[in-house]
């Protein structure tokens, strides 16, 4: 009897202990590593060892559910490729003079990153081989094989140098992973060079989960020679720090050397630098999520179950299109509430982006008027100052217009940069109005922007304005400053 | 032997069960309620039943640790009362013409809210009895007793009507609690009237934890009669909704009726409305914390232990001065990391606030020039448009300058409002420059603001600029637009 009580209690103790530990989720099996040959580019070979990751990576080919994101609708089940110049018509005016002013689409998934370059208006690949930097995993090996000449090689010729089987292969396993143990690493010498200018040499695994994405989701400049030929590719980070690559420092970098003036803006006749999708710079500049210790992969590659293992989801997308699965892990609100928080931030950014865009467009048209009247006697000092303020405005505007989160990656920094852009372009407008009036040139209260003219018959495809894609100011403030009917659609 | 094993295992089971439950914190006793007479104003009487809450409420008298907040230093252990006009010198220029342009201090704790009115330059209480609305718990009973005349009664006369014992009593128990059961309720008929215009009639306890604070932390207008006499007090919320009282709707309200034009701005000669500390409106307009279900009290009155009970801390203050005790409950980062997150947001807001402030100041000085040259033949249409844009800018600027969180309560909304303020004032500047140049009036690139003039010899106390209190732009952008040495300090 004693023994049976003891046995009974023993069972109870065990049950009790099980109860204690039953809170822990069912533990996932460890991902098994296997042999990948050094320098293996082929994702299929990696896929044999890591079938779950491979499968999820391959899904970037699939369209996303439509209607989940208000502002980023690149490749959804509606199969429409959205035209950024129709979404933000001021961009057609300010980008006139370069490829972005001809065809500028919201991007499709990673799967299409290389082949979309063949489809887009070829003005966009005018810089040549350099445009492959982020598009093919072979970039460094191509430069090694063909020398620096590869960078300025005519586009089609450069594409033909990619091994035929992988001509259309975009970002792939080898770009982010070391073959031997899957550790994270980067695969772009240009990027390593850029990062070397920051004050940081060692990176934690969590920081590497930012760096691998940053290889491509960054801004860069293509220095040009005297005849406009491509001289290389650099990231404008000299003098910046980890967690503090400011727009101010980037502008200083561009302004510091005329070789970074990559294009001439048609409307103003000014030579300007350019900025691209600065997700890395913008997110890491003291955003709430960055300061909270998060990496890109936490939100864009959340862990998910694949059978008995747990994998980082390689089917990258906006969390909005994934029903905020990544967000819910830390923010246990309802999906629709989280979505509306994101939208509240994006609405505000879009509103300011329109303000900054049309303000820069207004100043641009005043430069055009001033330039047509070069012979008139207006104050050159004011004109030069207006030019300097305009450049300050433009670089901030291009930066925020290219950033792919509509401010969400760093909401208050978005407000700061766009607010400053507005301050600079409006000041430019003010000085130009004074110049012109002083020289007896009449300017109406609302400067005719002739937006319709810039949207029409663009490039080889004769692209036109798609009215229903335009984003209107969610707060209707833009209409007070520049009534739409006077913008010249 | 069997029994001893059984006993032993029995003990083990019990220990095991205790281990299971030891995760739960030591449960606090319930706060005991007791009898409070209906209409009991005296906090001492409430303190006898609720000694812990009373004691913590009384601590709003104590100064806060210095050096914890970068921008709100009203009443810290350094015992300095900070001068907002020295912190933000543009305010001396734009508020010239009303009390706020004479003496405008960062506030001390709740304990001093009534008596600080006696100490400040008396231009600030010119509207009379109405200024007591949020300062004494007796307000509604005084209006009931003395009629609507109380509102326009000369200030000193009105103060003398408060029961002598409680002449200096500020917000107190009865303002927020029902006597019988401590349930939350408000105690200002003006506020109830304001709230009745929203689309919401029933409030949860959590929403009431916003409403009790909102009784005072809101904007309001004092309609004026033909001779400038006080006609009442209203909240500009008609047509707005719960969670959506926008600056746009507030401006519409003010512009809709000239009786809300409370003061005349000296520099421009324009009549304007005024806005006050809109914490309620700003926080509830779709801020992240509001959408996350938080109330004012969650951050400013976090629960704390008082002996065996758990109380809402009635010693209200900025969480920054309380080592972010309230924040840590949801954000388990280190205190200094949280503090730097808050500071990153506030730095950006202050930067934009300076931009908006000096931009409005610039436009104001151009109006001054235009008004001095009334006889000159300039474009009246442009001038009128400039005036309208200027008002749009000013109301946004006053709103954000008065809000007490430097943007933290709603970071992206702060950027939006200040960005729009900059857009409107710069556009006003642009049109005025054109007007003036067209009429042959020379305007330099940087308009001399004569800021020093407005900061000097203010009011009865002959207040002056306190240089070391000035906030400079943390991003040094302001200096590019208006070099400080040209602002006329």
């Amino acid at each position: 009897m004693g023994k049976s009580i003891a046995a009974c209690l023993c069972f109870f103790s065990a049950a009790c202990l099980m109860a204690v530990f039953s809170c822990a989720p069912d533990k996932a099996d460890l991902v098994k590593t296997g042999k990948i040959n050094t320098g293996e580019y082929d994702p299929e070979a990696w896929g044999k060892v890591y079938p779950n990751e491979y499968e999820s990576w391959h899904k970037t080919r699939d369209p996303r559910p439509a209607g989940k994101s208000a502002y980023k609708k690149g490749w959804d089940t509606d199969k429409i490729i959205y035209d950024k110049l129709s979404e933000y018509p001021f961009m057609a005016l300010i980008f006139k003079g370069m490829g972005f002013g001809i065809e500028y689409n919201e991007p499709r998934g990673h799967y299409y990153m290389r082949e979309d370059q063949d489809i887009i208006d070829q003005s966009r690949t005018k810089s040549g081989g350099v445009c492959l930097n982020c598009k093919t995993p072979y970039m460094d090996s191509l430069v090694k094989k063909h020398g620096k000449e590869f960078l300025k090689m005519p586009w089609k010729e450069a594409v033909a140098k990619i091994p035929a089987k992988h001509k259309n292969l975009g970002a792939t396993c080898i770009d982010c992973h070391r073959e031997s143990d899957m550790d994270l690493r980067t695969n772009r010498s240009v990027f390593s060079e850029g990062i070397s200018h920051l004050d940081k040499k060692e990176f934690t695994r969590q920081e590497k989960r930012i760096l691998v994405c940053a290889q491509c989701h960054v801004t860069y400049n293509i220095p040009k020679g005297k005849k406009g030929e491509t001289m290389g590719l650099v990231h404008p980070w000299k003098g910046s720090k980890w967690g503090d690559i400011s727009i101010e420092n980037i502008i200083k970098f561009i302004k510091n050397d005329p070789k970074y003036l990559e294009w001439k803006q048609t409307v103003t006749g000014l030579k300007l630098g350019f900025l691209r999708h600065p997700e890395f710079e913008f997110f890491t500049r003291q955003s709430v999520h960055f300061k909270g210790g998060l990496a890109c992969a936490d939100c864009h590659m959340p862990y998910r179950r694949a059978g008995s293992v747990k994998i980082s989801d390689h089917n990258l997308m906006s969390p909005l299109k994934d029903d905020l699965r990544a967000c819910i892990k830390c923010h246990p609100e309802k999906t629709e509430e989280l979505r509306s928080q994101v939208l509240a931030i994006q609405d505000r950014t879009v509103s300011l982006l329109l303000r900054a865009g049309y303000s820069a467009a207004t100043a641009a048209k005043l430069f055009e008027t001033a330039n047509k009247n070069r012979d008139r006697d207006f104050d050159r000092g004011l004109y030069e100052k207006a030019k300097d303020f305009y450049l300050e405005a433009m670089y901030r505007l291009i930066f925020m217009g290219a950033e792919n989160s509509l401010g969400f990656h760093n909401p208050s920094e978005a407000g700061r940069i766009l607010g400053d852009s507005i301050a600079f372009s409006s000041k430019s407008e003010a000085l130009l109005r004074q110049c012109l009036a002083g020289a007896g040139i009449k300017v109406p209260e609302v400067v005719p922007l002739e937006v319709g003219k810039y949207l029409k018959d663009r490039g080889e495809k004769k692209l036109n304005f798609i009215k229903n894609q335009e984003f209107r100011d969610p707060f209707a403030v833009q209409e007070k400053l520049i009534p739409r009917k006077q913008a010249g659609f």
Side-chain angles (χ1 to χ4, degrees), chain A residues 38 153 161 302 433 470 479:
Chain A
T38 302
M153 193 177 281
K161 305 284 185 202
R433 281 185 183 268
E470 185 189 356
E479 191 64 17

Side-chain angles (χ1 to χ4, degrees), chain A residues 352-353 355-357 359 393 417-427:
Chain A
L352 286 182
L353 184 61
R355 209 87 64 258
S359 181
I417 295 172
L418 288 171
D420 282 348
S421 179
I422 295 165
F424 281 115
S425 54
S426 311
K427 183 68 103 178

Side-chain angles (χ1 to χ4, degrees), chain A residues 176-407:
Chain A
C176 305
H177 292 285
R178 189 159 64 191
E179 299 86 335
S180 58
D181 58 1
M182 289 304 106
D183 197 12
L184 294 174
R185 66 102 182 274
T186 59
N187 186 32
R188 294 291 183 285
S189 55
V190 162
F191 179 73
S192 304
E193 158 77 14
I195 287 288
S196 75
H197 291 298
L198 305 182
D199 60 333
K200 193 170 168 74
K201 306 296 159 209
E202 299 291 327
F203 299 93
T204 63
R205 183 174 156 79
Q206 185 66 349
E207 286 161 350
K208 286 182 189 164
R209 294 173 84 229
I210 293 174
L211 289 178
V212 291
C213 306
Q215 295 183 86
C216 298
H217 289 270
V218 284
T219 187
Y220 58 86
N221 304 97
I222 300 176
K224 298 284 187 181
K226 286 201 175 126
K227 290 172 191 158
E229 75 279 19
T230 293
M231 304 289 285
L233 185 96
V234 293
H235 298 291
W237 301 337
K238 231 176 222 174
S240 288
K241 289 177 180 171
W242 175 257
D244 185 18
I245 305 177
S246 67
I247 179 66
E248 283 77 11
N249 261 0
I250 292 173
I251 293 174
K252 200 172 148 191
F253 179 92
I254 296 173
K255 279 184 156 183
N256 204 33
D257 195 326
K259 72 174 179 250
Y260 298 124
L261 304 181
E262 298 177 42
W263 64 295
K264 195 191 217 176
Q265 191 177 41
T266 305
V267 180
T268 61
L270 295 174
K271 292 193 81 175
L272 282 114
F274 204 67
L275 297 101
R276 285 88 174 174
H277 37 57
E279 279 82 65
F280 168 62
E281 296 89 338
F282 184 63
F283 169 68
T284 61
R285 181 123 208 277
Q286 308 302 305
S287 75
V288 167
H289 285 103
F290 174 72
K291 287 176 83 78
L294 270 74
C296 315
D298 289 310
C299 306
H300 294 284
M301 304 178 75
Y303 288 107
R304 77 171 171 78
R305 279 267 171 177
S308 66
V309 295
K310 205 175 78 166
I311 64 161
S312 259
D313 196 340
H314 284 58
N315 181 13
L316 294 107
M317 68 178 93
S318 159
L320 286 171
K321 300 191 181 182
D322 195 19
D323 286 332
L324 300 117
R325 191 163 56 87
C327 317
I328 283 162
K329 292 183 180 167
C330 298
H331 305 282
E333 285 107 311
K334 285 184 197 143
T335 303
E336 283 316 304
E337 277 167 22
L338 287 172
R339 188 188 301 282
S340 85
Q341 286 200 15
V342 178
L343 190 63
I345 289 166
Q346 294 187 327
D347 274 351
R348 291 166 186 148
T349 309
V350 167
S351 182
L352 286 182
L353 184 61
L354 294 174
R355 209 87 64 258
Y358 285 101
S359 181
T362 298
K365 292 300 274 184
L366 292 178
F367 276 110
E368 189 181 53
T369 305
N371 295 343
K372 275 184 195 154
N373 293 278
R374 266 179 209 290
D375 52 325
R376 298 287 268 273
D377 177 36
F378 51 69
D379 188 324
R380 303 309 301 182
L382 280 187
Y383 179 90
E384 287 303 316
K385 202 75 203 175
K387 199 171 106 179
D388 189 48
F389 287 149
Y390 178 74
L391 295 177
E392 293 283 335
M394 273 296 293
Y395 292 137
R396 286 170 171 84
L397 172 62
I398 302 174
F399 183 92
M400 285 311 304
E403 210 280 333
N404 276 305
S405 72
L406 277 319

